[in-house]
């Protein structure tokens, strides 16, 4: 039975990956911080799909947490889904520097270290791979969140180009707005986001697994977001900055 390790597996996109991979017959290793929620998620997956679901409580914003997950990955897995992540409210200049550093640790350092810990066993098996959850935000400059996701895309693509084994795949997944706990947790106001732009977690994961099987290096689920990502190449690079500046002026902030 193949094994998949998923970070951020208790909510949103990570939980949808866990359901999908359990349905596909993967044994699971679920990673997140909240131990009770991990245990409940694992028990529900075992009940519903009959698969083994182990848990590993780890905070990927800490060296100890990353090291614990690296150790588990070195025992061998077939698929790693680097999914854990979070957002910040407000404009880049308002975010405390400590929160920015934490974001870089979870979105970049953890993704780098966990990918490198997983790859040797995956390459020995000559199949499987790594899915790194980035965002369409990677295609627009908008603070540390976008920059960290741009790193994830660039890192995944460059690594994929260096892997000689045909059936070992590294893919960056770039979803648009997805209904999860992400925005509430970050106190991000979503009232201005039109309904048609929201995607469901299951739809994102279905598209991701299809693109992964096809060997794509970057997956952008949904035609609307494919178009947005394509158009982003032709937009002025400072457009999001101009929009944010106008919003801040309207709100009476400098
Ligand atoms: N939702 C969107 O619109 C959207 C769009 C594009 C990309 N994404 C990306 O998709 C990924 C998943 O986001 P989501 O929307 O599914 O978020 P979510 O619903 O808030 O779930 C986040 C998951 O990550 C875990 N997590 C958060 N911080 C962690 C840490 N320091 N260490 C370990 N686990 C941690 C959480 O569990 P614990 O709190 O128990 O640790 C939870 O399981 C993120 O990388 C995000 O940037 C989201």
């Amino acid at each position: 039975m193949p094994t998949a390790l998923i970070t951020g597996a208790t909510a949103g996109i990570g939980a949808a990956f866990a359901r999908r991979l359990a349905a596909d017959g993967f044994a699971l290793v679920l990673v997140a911080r909240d131990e009770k929620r991990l245990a409940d998620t694992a028990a529900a997956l075992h009940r519903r799909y009959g698969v083994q679901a182990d848990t590993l409580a780890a905070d990927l914003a800490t060296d100890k947490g990353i090291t614990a997950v690296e150790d588990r990955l070195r025992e061998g897995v077939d698929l790693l889904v680097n999914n854990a992540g979070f957002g910040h409210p407000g404009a880049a200049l308002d975010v405390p520097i400590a929160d920015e550093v934490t974001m870089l640790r979870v979105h970049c350092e953890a993704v780098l270290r966990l990918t490198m810990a997983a790859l040797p066993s995956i390459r020995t098996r000559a199949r499987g791979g790594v899915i790194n959850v980035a965002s369409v935000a990677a295609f627009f400059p908008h603070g540390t969140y976008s920059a960290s996701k741009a790193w994830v895309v660039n890192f995944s693509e460059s690594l994929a180009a260096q892997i000689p084994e045909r059936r070992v795949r590294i893919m960056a997944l770039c979803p648009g707005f997805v209904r999860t706990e992400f925005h509430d947790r970050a106190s991000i106001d979503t009232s201005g986001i039109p309904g048609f732009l929201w995607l469901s977690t299951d739809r994102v994961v279905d598209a991701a697994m299809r693109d992964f099987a096809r060997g794509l290096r970057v997956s952008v689920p949904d035609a609307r977001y494919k178009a947005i990502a394509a158009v982003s190449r032709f937009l002025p690079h400072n457009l999001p900055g101009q929009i944010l500046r106008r919003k801040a002026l309207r709100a009476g902030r400098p």
Side-chain angles (χ1 to χ4, degrees):
M1 188 184 274
T3 300
L5 185 146
I6 306 162
T7 70
T10 53
I13 297 169
F17 266 111
R19 289 192 298 274
R20 166 63 192 262
L21 292 169
D24 287 354
F26 278 78
L28 301 174
V29 183
L30 312 175
V31 177
R33 291 166 298 184
D34 183 330
E35 286 187 41
K36 160 95 175 64
R37 205 169 173 192
L38 272 171
D40 291 348
T41 306
L45 288 163
H46 178 67
R47 256 195 321 273
R48 182 160 172 202
Y49 300 100
V51 295
Q52 184 180 336
D54 296 338
T55 64
L56 176 46
D59 182 352
L60 296 173
T62 65
D63 183 60
K64 185 171 167 229
I66 299 175
T67 303
V69 184
E70 282 177 319
D71 289 346
R72 173 58 190 87
L73 288 166
R74 289 196 186 102
E75 290 171 25
V77 293
D78 298 271
L79 181 67
L80 164 65
V81 183
N82 275 313
N83 161 79
F86 64 99
H88 291 316
L93 287 174
D94 301 332
V95 180
I97 192 74
D99 295 355
E100 300 276 49
V101 172
T102 300
M103 177 171 277
L104 289 175
R105 198 152 218 209
V106 176
H107 290 182
C108 302
E109 181 181 340
V111 169
L112 169 68
R113 288 175 55 182
L114 300 190
T115 300
M116 291 315 191
L119 267 181
S121 72
I122 292 171
R123 292 189 64 198
T124 301
R125 293 162 200 219
R127 64 182 161 75
V130 182
I131 298 176
N132 289 326
V133 181
S135 167
V136 283
F139 307 123
F140 301 93
H142 184 12
T144 297
Y145 182 81
S146 295
S148 67
K149 295 302 189 178
W151 179 87
V152 172
V153 174
N154 197 310
F155 168 70
S156 306
E157 280 191 285
S158 55
L159 205 59
Q162 292 172 47
I163 301 273
E165 295 85 8
R166 208 173 46 85
R167 294 177 64 205
V168 174
R169 288 166 184 163
I170 315 276
M171 184 181 84
L173 171 63
C174 300
F177 293 114
V178 190
R179 290 201 191 280
T180 67
E181 298 171 14
F182 178 94
H183 301 91
D184 278 352
R185 282 177 187 244
S187 306
I188 294 171
D189 177 13
T190 57
S191 57
I193 302 168
F196 73 88
L197 280 181
W198 288 98
L199 304 174
S200 76
T201 55
D202 288 339
R203 193 166 164 184
V204 167
V205 169
D206 279 352
M209 294 308 294
R210 231 181 359 256
D211 287 345
F212 190 69
R214 289 168 58 208
L216 262 61
R217 291 177 182 175
V218 179
S219 167
V220 180
D222 190 82
R224 287 158 290 184
Y225 283 105
K226 282 184 181 30
I228 290 171
V231 164
S232 73
R233 277 183 277 145
F234 304 105
L235 290 176
H237 238 51
N238 63 347
L239 188 65
Q242 286 172 13
I243 293 169
L244 284 171
R245 170 107 186 108
R246 228 169 278 150
K247 267 174 83 175
L249 283 173
R250 267 205 304 273
R253 283 187 281 124

